[in-house]
Amino acid sequence: MSKCRSGLRFLLLIIVVLTVGVAILTHPVLAADTTDAAMKDYEATIRKAENYFSVGNYFEAVLSYERARRVAYNSKLRTDADALEKKLAQARDARDGKLPVGRSQSSPGSIPQKAGTGPAGGSVFAELTTSRGSVPWVLTARDVPKDNKQNFGPYDPASRWNISNPFLRHDARFFSNIWNVACTADGTIYLGAESVVPAEEFRRMPRANRDWYADNGWGMWRIAPDGRITAFAVRAYGNQPGWRNITARCNVGIDVADILPNNWGGMVVTPNGDVLVSDFNLHLILKLRKDGFVEHFAGGGPQACIYDRYKTPQQSGYRDGPAKQALFDQPYGLALEKDGSVLVADSGNCALRRIDTSGNVTTVYRGCSASETRKKDPGERIVYQFVAIDREGRPLVGGPYVLPGKEVYGNIYRFGSDGRIEQLLAGRRISPRTSQQLVGLMGGFIVLPDGRLIMTDGEDSDSRILEVKNGRVEKIAGVGGVDMNNSDIDGSMAKARMYAPGEMCVSADGSIFVKSRHRLRPVRRIDTAKKTVSTWAY
């Protein structure tokens, strides 16, 4: 009997609750309030979705449009359902990479132009500088301590940067990784690098880890003489929609090209503003055109531009002839001759190659030693890693040669027009012939406008900039010979620290830009006139 009474009480309770609920929902004032709240929620969600779409966050745009649709359905709102479905469909296509999207569209009402696919296109990415008040800023990648007035670097508390680039913030970092550097005469530099811009730079908070970064850039960046940074040939990767849409290694737009700056051995800027890079992993030379097109320039074999996720169809070898039929084996350093020909340090073939302006490849010299009598001496080995040209137009090649556990050599050779080969440096790390030839791990060399030959000693414990003269080396910048403490410190050339300096390039006024051997380090600028070292890119 008691169970029946309990059941009746429960049934009466449900009836009361339902009655009250219906009364609330049917009450004209309360129902109106509920509808107004739902409509405000719907409209706010639509605005949020459109904002997400405008900044390229298509994942969140889809989720917001889907939520707006649920709110409208559950609350029986009178909305334009067809318009919402069109916006949702476009957001889904953009998310899945089915639309030619860029970062410039402001609403999901129109399809933007395809970028980076040919002469009419351009880089998928646009100017990455913005203005806050009267001060220009760069969209940044990784924060470092903001309350430090000493301009500390982000890697070690001992690092102090004197940031001379007016477009770089002192409290954040733009490049995640820097692999390559090249210069033009006017002081413009090009970097093979990676840049990651966090979501908060686009006025929104990330929803999940995949959305933490609003823009992932992978490719080549241009830094003008005044310091302004723009994307030259950059494609999306990682978290961005469309990053999987790779179709080829070359002869395609930058937005779908499989470019890997960490595999570039050398870079050189042509007179018309295009950039040549050597890919030592694919054994080919690429031209990154200023119109956003990646062109096959030389090497790689008949499948040079084929992309295959699981294998490498590109071909290595040794063959002269038409550039696109010629073969290279791990091409590395590049240099541009006065007539526009390109010199290639073909490391795997122990050869110096030339690509002339007619598109033919010839061999300047092939051999790992300068003469038969020197073949057994590793200290006399020609290393085809870096290449430069002196003021007389003679090519220089060289690089480090390491015998694990025994010795590290640093050699530089010069090739004369008469066929004569001259060794300019025979450096050693452990047992030098004299203290004036002590060289650690050579990171690169250049010829200054005044004719001086400058190299980097990238051994972590040495970290010096050296002048090569009469077969000897003399320090011109960097502390060297002390515990570097993994630090970078700007200041005078005599006291500055440049941890593990690597590749360099030089402008016509003698300014030297130095990239570290470690991709996470900044690019430093050496003003040879003022004899100072500052930080130019990071």
Side-chain angles (χ1 to χ4, degrees):
M1 188 70 178
S2 61
K3 291 183 178 180
C4 292
R5 289 175 180 173
S6 298
L8 288 172
R9 290 193 192 100
F10 182 71
L11 181 60
L12 288 173
L13 180 62
I14 292 176
I15 293 173
V16 171
V17 170
L18 291 175
T19 304
V20 173
V22 170
I24 292 175
L25 292 175
T26 57
H27 191 283
V29 176
L30 296 178
D33 290 345
T34 303
T35 302
D36 289 345
M39 182 58 73
K40 289 180 181 179
D41 187 13
Y42 172 84
E43 292 173 348
T45 305
I46 291 292
R47 287 195 298 270
K48 185 181 295 185
E50 290 177 346
N51 182 58
Y52 280 134
F53 192 97
S54 68
V55 298
N57 185 3
Y58 308 116
F59 294 103
E60 284 294 333
V62 169
L63 293 176
S64 296
Y65 281 129
E66 289 175 343
R67 184 181 184 279
R69 186 172 61 176
R70 288 195 301 272
V71 170
Y73 177 82
N74 293 335
S75 302
K76 296 182 172 59
L77 300 179
R78 293 182 179 180
T79 62
D80 190 342
D82 291 339
L84 176 58
E85 289 302 317
K86 289 180 181 179
K87 291 181 178 181
L88 177 57
Q90 188 170 354
R92 284 172 173 168
D93 285 344
R95 178 198 61 186
D96 299 335
K98 296 178 181 179
L99 291 182
V101 295
R103 194 165 63 91
S104 59
Q105 65 271 20
S106 58
S107 68
S110 60
I111 299 176
Q113 292 291 320
K114 180 80 169 177
T117 56
S123 175
V124 172
F125 286 68
E127 175 84 26
L128 287 186
T129 54
T130 184
S131 179
R132 298 180 181 179
S134 60
V135 182
W137 299 94
V138 171
L139 300 183
T140 57
R142 190 178 303 170
D143 286 342
V144 295
K146 294 181 172 63
D147 57 350
N148 198 312
K149 301 183 184 301
Q150 298 292 327
N151 299 334
F152 283 104
Y155 306 108
D156 188 272
S159 292
R160 290 183 176 88
W161 295 356
N162 177 22
I163 302 170
S164 54
N165 185 336
F167 288 88
L168 284 175
R169 293 168 56 172
H170 290 204
D171 62 355
R173 178 166 166 258
F174 180 58
F175 293 109
S176 314
N177 296 281
I178 302 175
W179 286 283
N180 321 95
V181 62
C183 292
T184 61
D186 68 353
T188 300
I189 71 171
Y190 294 78
L191 299 179
E194 167 192 4
S195 176
V196 184
V197 183
E200 56 263 29
E201 291 286 352
F202 285 84
R203 303 176 304 280
R204 61 180 176 77
M205 291 303 295
R207 177 180 180 275
N209 185 55
R210 68 179 182 183
D211 184 45
W212 183 260
Y213 302 113
D215 274 319
N216 293 6
W218 179 277
M220 187 171 297
W221 307 81
R222 179 182 183 271
I223 305 181
D226 66 355
R228 184 181 296 271
I229 301 176
T230 54
F232 178 80
V234 179
R235 73 165 174 84
Y237 82 102
N239 300 320
Q240 276 193 314
W243 72 277
R244 297 179 186 272
N245 296 345
I246 298 172
T247 62
R249 303 285 189 183
C250 45
N251 290 342
V252 292
I254 186 66
D255 53 337
V256 293
D258 184 39
I259 57 171
L260 298 172
N262 54 316
N263 288 337
W264 295 348
M267 287 171 42
V268 67
V269 185
T270 66
N272 69 346
D274 298 328
V275 183
L276 299 177
V277 299
S278 61
D279 192 313
F280 56 80
N281 184 56
L282 302 178
H283 317 290
L284 53 78
I285 314 297
L286 298 174
K287 177 189 285 188
L288 303 184
R289 297 189 335 210
K290 57 187 176 182
D291 63 9
F293 196 77
V294 180
E295 180 182 321
H296 177 210
F297 191 74
Q303 300 188 84
C305 293
I306 301 298
Y307 169 73
D308 191 310
R309 184 178 180 183
Y310 301 103
K311 61 182 180 180
T312 303
Q314 289 71 28
Q315 181 181 350
S316 65
Y318 174 75
R319 182 169 65 213
D320 285 341
K324 295 180 182 180
Q325 299 176 23
L327 295 179
F328 298 86
D329 188 353
Q330 299 180 50
Y332 212 87
L334 301 176
L336 192 67
E337 296 185 294
K338 291 182 179 179
D339 68 350
S341 298
V342 180
L343 293 176
V344 183
D346 191 357
S347 62
N349 284 316
C350 272
L352 177 63
R353 316 282 291 280
R354 174 182 283 116
I355 307 173
D356 63 29
T357 54
S358 299
N360 291 310
V361 176
T362 56
T363 298
V364 177
Y365 183 82
R366 188 183 187 192
C368 293
S369 61
S371 67
E372 290 294 327
T373 59
R374 294 180 175 181
K375 279 188 175 182
K376 295 182 179 181
D377 185 354
E380 309 294 342
R381 182 183 179 88
I382 303 177
V383 181
Y384 297 86
Q385 183 168 350
F386 308 113
V387 58
I389 300 172
D390 68 11
R391 291 196 298 178
E392 285 72 40
R394 296 171 295 187
L396 285 65
V397 299
Y401 182 59
V402 181
L403 292 177
K406 294 183 178 181
E407 180 63 285
V408 178
Y409 302 92
N411 297 333
I412 300 177
Y413 285 84
R414 181 168 60 196
F415 296 89
S417 57
D418 58 357
R420 181 170 173 242
I421 302 175
E422 180 183 3
Q423 188 171 17
L424 302 182
L425 177 67
R428 296 175 183 267
R429 173 70 183 93
I430 300 175
S431 53
R433 295 170 182 170
T434 72
S435 61
Q436 296 300 313
Q437 291 174 304
L438 176 63
V439 174
L441 189 65
M442 182 188 296
F445 60 82
I446 55 173
V447 177
L448 298 185
D450 61 11
R452 288 186 293 164
L453 175 58
I454 306 298
M455 63 163 285
T456 56
D457 184 346
E459 182 72 26
D460 293 0
S461 60
D462 292 334
S463 298
R464 304 171 296 166
I465 311 297
L466 306 172
E467 179 180 357
V468 180
K469 187 176 181 180
N470 298 325
R472 297 185 176 187
V473 294
E474 179 180 345
K475 185 188 76 172
I476 65 168
V479 176
V482 299
D483 181 8
M484 289 295 295
N485 194 29
N486 194 31
S487 61
D488 292 294
I489 300 178
D490 290 332
S492 68
M493 290 174 60
K495 296 182 179 180
R497 293 186 178 187
M498 290 169 280
Y499 185 68
E503 298 172 58
M504 297 180 291
C505 65
V506 61
S507 59
D509 66 356
S511 295
I512 303 172
F513 298 90
V514 185
K515 184 197 77 67
S516 173
R517 288 194 302 107
H518 301 293
R519 68 184 187 275
L520 300 177
R521 316 300 295 200
V523 172
R524 317 291 284 285
R525 182 176 188 172
I526 301 177
D527 189 325
T528 54
K530 297 180 180 180
K531 299 187 181 302
T532 58
V533 177
S534 62
T535 296
W536 191 241
Y538 56 92

